[in-house]
Amino acid sequence: MPHLPRPDALRSSRPLRRAVLMAMVTMLGGCGFQPLYGSPAGSAAAGGTIPDQLRQIYVASIPERYGQELRLFLQQNLAGAEQEDPNGYTLRVNSYVMNEAIDIHSDNTTGRTRATAHAHWMLYTVAPTPMLVTQGDTQVMDGENETFEQYFAQNLNQTALARRVAQAVADRITQQLAIWFKTHAAPAQRTVMPQATYVDPNVMPNSSTEIPRQSVGEDGLPGMAIGRSSPDPSGTAGGDPGNGTVNSQ
């Protein structure tokens, strides 16, 4: 039978562990490490702590069910454990999710769907003439296994996937906002490259000058080839613009 330490021995070691932890925190502070949601010196004069400033953000409405869940997660993150006071800033978020069918079988079904969510957020002041304070971009990736034989289970998988993606996007945006309030450094922004298109052979031309085209995904593969929903260029939540039409002249 293994030897177990006595309760009095465990109690006597607690002060030692506490002292070691305090020493480690002191050493990290000397190296320049500071907690993101801490209370820096002079925080009262600068508008309060980071959580205080996050609670001053009002999250504007985001369309569709995915946008509603994203807004709820953002409100929870920004308010924290205290009462929200959204009278200082307005946060506007444009987000969409692109689904890709991977693990394609010989019968053209797929065993897994990969979801990539993009979000662009903008922070404005609350004023008669709102001013853009800062903005940034974020991206998350998730996926689900397809179960075509179980209809209700598949619906649950899709609902859970959308909820996980919305929560992950909200967490990233909250972290970027907290970093900006602490450092006022410009958040990372996504660089959108010109998107290639190809002629859709399954659609009749609208006229002699307008040829229906489809855009490719971020990996350069046509959406029709792998059963992928098209990215939404308008930036609305969960959209799918379908086929685009460009002028051939």
Side-chain angles (χ1 to χ4, degrees):
M1 182 175 181
H3 174 70
L4 298 177
R6 295 179 301 174
D8 55 348
L10 292 176
R11 286 194 296 269
S12 63
S13 64
R14 289 173 183 172
L16 178 60
R17 292 200 299 268
R18 189 178 298 110
V20 172
L21 290 174
M22 292 298 296
M24 293 175 62
V25 171
T26 303
M27 293 173 61
L28 289 174
C31 298
F33 173 83
Q34 295 181 356
L36 179 59
Y37 298 96
S39 302
S43 59
T49 63
I50 303 301
D52 291 337
Q53 297 179 74
L54 291 178
R55 281 191 289 271
Q56 299 177 18
I57 299 176
Y58 171 77
V59 184
S61 297
I62 309 174
E64 300 187 9
R65 179 57 184 167
Y66 162 75
Q68 293 173 352
E69 292 189 329
L70 174 57
R71 183 172 185 259
L72 288 175
F73 284 125
L74 282 170
Q75 289 175 321
Q76 294 174 5
N77 290 350
L78 296 175
E82 303 293 335
Q83 181 65 35
E84 59 183 355
D85 186 23
N87 58 3
Y89 304 91
T90 299
L91 178 66
R92 301 188 181 278
V93 181
N94 294 327
S95 181
Y96 67 89
V97 181
M98 183 180 68
N99 295 317
E100 299 176 77
I102 58 179
D103 182 27
I104 299 178
H105 306 157
S106 58
D107 59 354
N108 205 30
T109 60
T110 175
R112 185 165 178 81
T113 295
R114 180 169 60 194
T116 305
H118 298 278
H120 178 73
W121 58 267
M122 296 165 288
L123 188 67
Y124 291 89
T125 58
V126 174
T129 304
M131 181 181 64
L132 178 62
V133 178
T134 185
Q135 58 183 326
D137 292 271
T138 189
Q139 173 182 323
V140 299
M141 182 178 294
D142 205 325
E144 61 164 345
N145 293 330
E146 301 291 345
T147 53
F148 293 104
E149 300 84 3
Q150 302 179 25
Y151 178 77
F152 294 106
Q154 179 63 24
N155 282 347
L156 290 175
N157 290 343
Q158 294 173 349
T159 302
L161 173 62
R163 187 175 179 86
R164 290 197 309 269
V165 169
Q167 184 171 17
V169 172
D171 292 343
R172 296 283 184 88
I173 294 177
T174 303
Q175 186 180 55
Q176 289 178 330
L177 287 168
I179 293 174
W180 182 82
F181 277 117
K182 191 174 186 66
T183 65
H184 286 279
Q189 296 191 27
R190 181 186 178 199
T191 301
V192 180
M193 302 298 294
Q195 193 175 46
T197 60
Y198 69 98
V199 176
D200 190 342
N202 298 319
V203 180
M204 292 292 293
N206 297 333
S207 66
S208 59
T209 59
E210 293 184 352
I211 303 175
R213 292 177 175 266
Q214 274 213 2
S215 58
V216 301
E218 296 182 350
D219 53 6
L221 295 176
M224 288 179 57
I226 59 174
R228 169 173 44 210
S229 63
S230 300
D232 185 1
S234 64
T236 56
D240 186 358
N243 295 334
T245 302
V246 299
N247 196 302
S248 61
Q249 291 183 345

